[in-house]
Amino acid sequence: MDISISSSFLPHDDPDASLAFYRDVLGFEVRDDVGYDGMRWITVGPAGQPGTSIVLQPPAVDPGVTEDERRVIAEMMAKGTYAGILLSTPDVDSVFDRLQAGDAEIVQEPIDQPFGVRDCAVRDPAGNLIRIQQAR
């Protein structure tokens, strides 16, 4: 079976701040930027990897989400416990330096993990946890 990941989704509560983080700090390409009814979906991805994207979307836009669920999602986003993504790089230390220079919220500086990677962690402007790892 030949299956690949095309897109993953992360919520945003400030599309301009999220766009600046993913484009200007992480260096991702902007692939699409679509507005509808006062909301915005922004698709970004790493240069040279056109088949892999992250869609930054307004949280809880599904019509099946209740008001109580929307409140919980907003609370979890504010605490940084709602969503996250794992990225990889051949040089986590240089990526971390770029993140730090871009005023990203640092969660963990680069360290060697006992499970065989060197990684760091930051939060994007919406509070999503972004772990970045380098294989050792």
Side-chain angles (χ1 to χ4, degrees):
M1 188 177 312
D2 185 7
I3 297 175
S4 61
I5 296 172
S6 172
S7 298
S8 59
F9 291 77
L10 290 175
H12 70 71
D13 51 10
D14 181 338
D16 292 324
S18 290
L19 175 60
F21 177 81
Y22 285 92
R23 180 192 59 210
D24 303 337
V25 178
L26 280 179
F28 282 7
E29 298 174 332
V30 177
R31 306 219 170 115
D32 209 355
D33 191 337
V34 178
Y36 174 76
D37 201 20
M39 297 176 282
R40 215 165 137 198
W41 288 258
I42 303 165
T43 305
V44 297
Q49 297 179 43
T52 303
S53 298
I54 298 170
V55 180
L56 306 168
Q57 67 175 1
V61 295
D62 184 332
V65 177
T66 67
E67 285 305 314
D68 284 341
E69 291 167 334
R70 281 183 176 77
R71 181 186 49 75
V72 169
I73 289 168
E75 290 171 1
M76 291 178 73
M77 284 178 66
K79 290 192 291 187
T81 58
Y82 183 67
I85 195 163
L86 177 62
L87 305 175
S88 62
T89 180
D91 186 356
V92 74
D93 292 288
S94 68
V95 171
F96 180 78
D97 291 342
R98 183 177 174 145
L99 290 164
Q100 204 167 29
D103 292 327
E105 179 187 341
I106 305 300
V107 175
Q108 173 205 300
E109 293 188 6
I111 61 170
D112 293 326
Q113 298 286 7
F115 45 88
V117 300
R118 180 168 178 78
D119 74 351
C120 68
V122 298
R123 293 202 188 283
D124 76 4
N128 299 308
L129 182 65
I130 301 180
R131 297 197 71 86
I132 303 169
Q133 70 179 13
Q134 170 187 334
R136 281 192 277 161

